[in-house]
Amino acid sequence: SDLVLSPLFQWGRGETHKDRYVAFFPFYGKMKSKLSWGEINFFLFPLYVDWSHKEFKARSILWPFFVWGSSDIRSEVRVFPFYSQKRHIAKFEHTTLLWPFIQWGKDFLDKKEPTSYSFFFPFYNIKSSLYGNMESRAFIWFPILGSLVGYGYDRKTSEVNYNFLFFLIQYGYSNNRDYRKHIFFPFYGYSRFASKE
């Protein structure tokens, strides 16, 4: 059972001593099964906090700036914004230097075709799959605006996309999904997406 006077006070108890907790945020406390974690402990948050889920345990001083944690299959280190690294064996590997400017990593390492990415803001953003069935590249990229020049393809869906001058000129197609996009902003625009199934 739980009693919550959010966000200041939380109290809980269960059948065993391990299920009992009390937290008076942000001064001191312990929470169980909250925010997708098995246990969260804190003291004068964000001065100190630690959390765990199964075998993974992590700690932070002045969260989110200094973080470290590990288990047999997972590790995480962060000295924000200078460096961070997150690894999960057979799942992903992510590294960042001078966030958000330099990032690289690998995802879906447990799938048939893992992907990798490299990001050097704002100059280029590249993502590709191991066997070359998917790739996207963007040059001079900004949030919301998109990229000065960009292209990408996905052989699984036979989709191809190009853009020039950020969002002003866009061209894309896919024969499998009956997808077409032709945009020359603000003079002309055509977009169609229809499933053939």
Side-chain angles (χ1 to χ4, degrees), residues 63-93:
W63 181 88
F65 298 103
F66 304 98
V67 176
W68 66 98
S70 66
S71 70
D72 290 341
I73 61 171
R74 188 174 165 192
S75 65
E76 179 176 356
V77 173
R78 182 189 314 143
V79 180
F80 184 82
F82 305 106
Y83 174 79
S84 75
Q85 185 176 71
K86 293 176 80 171
R87 291 185 176 184
H88 193 297
I89 292 175
K91 294 276 188 186
F92 60 80
E93 297 176 10

Side-chain angles (χ1 to χ4, degrees), residues 85-195:
Q85 185 176 71
K86 293 176 80 171
R87 291 185 176 184
H88 193 297
I89 292 175
K91 294 276 188 186
F92 60 80
E93 297 176 10
H94 299 166
T95 305
T96 301
L97 291 175
L98 299 174
W99 184 91
F101 298 104
I102 302 169
Q103 302 177 45
W104 69 93
K106 299 176 184 177
D107 288 303
F108 309 114
L109 296 175
D110 57 341
K111 305 297 181 190
K112 290 181 182 178
E113 190 166 10
T115 61
S116 61
Y117 67 90
S118 299
F119 181 55
F120 183 27
F121 180 79
F123 302 106
Y124 71 82
N125 187 352
I126 299 170
K127 184 176 182 180
S128 61
S129 63
L130 181 63
Y131 303 116
N133 289 311
M134 181 277 297
E135 183 174 305
S136 67
R137 293 179 182 258
F139 300 94
I140 313 300
W141 179 88
F142 292 98
I144 301 172
L145 289 177
S147 58
L148 180 65
V149 176
Y151 73 91
Y153 64 83
D154 187 335
R155 291 187 177 137
K156 184 177 180 182
T157 62
S158 79
E159 186 173 328
V160 177
N161 283 290
Y162 299 90
N163 74 281
F164 305 97
L165 301 175
F166 301 103
F167 60 88
L168 298 179
I169 301 172
Q170 301 176 51
Y171 175 75
Y173 66 88
S174 170
N175 293 328
N176 285 0
R177 294 188 174 179
D178 196 12
Y179 157 69
R180 298 285 184 275
K181 178 170 65 173
H182 308 141
I183 296 174
F184 184 34
F185 187 84
F187 306 106
Y188 174 79
Y190 173 79
S191 180
R192 172 184 171 84
F193 180 86
S195 175

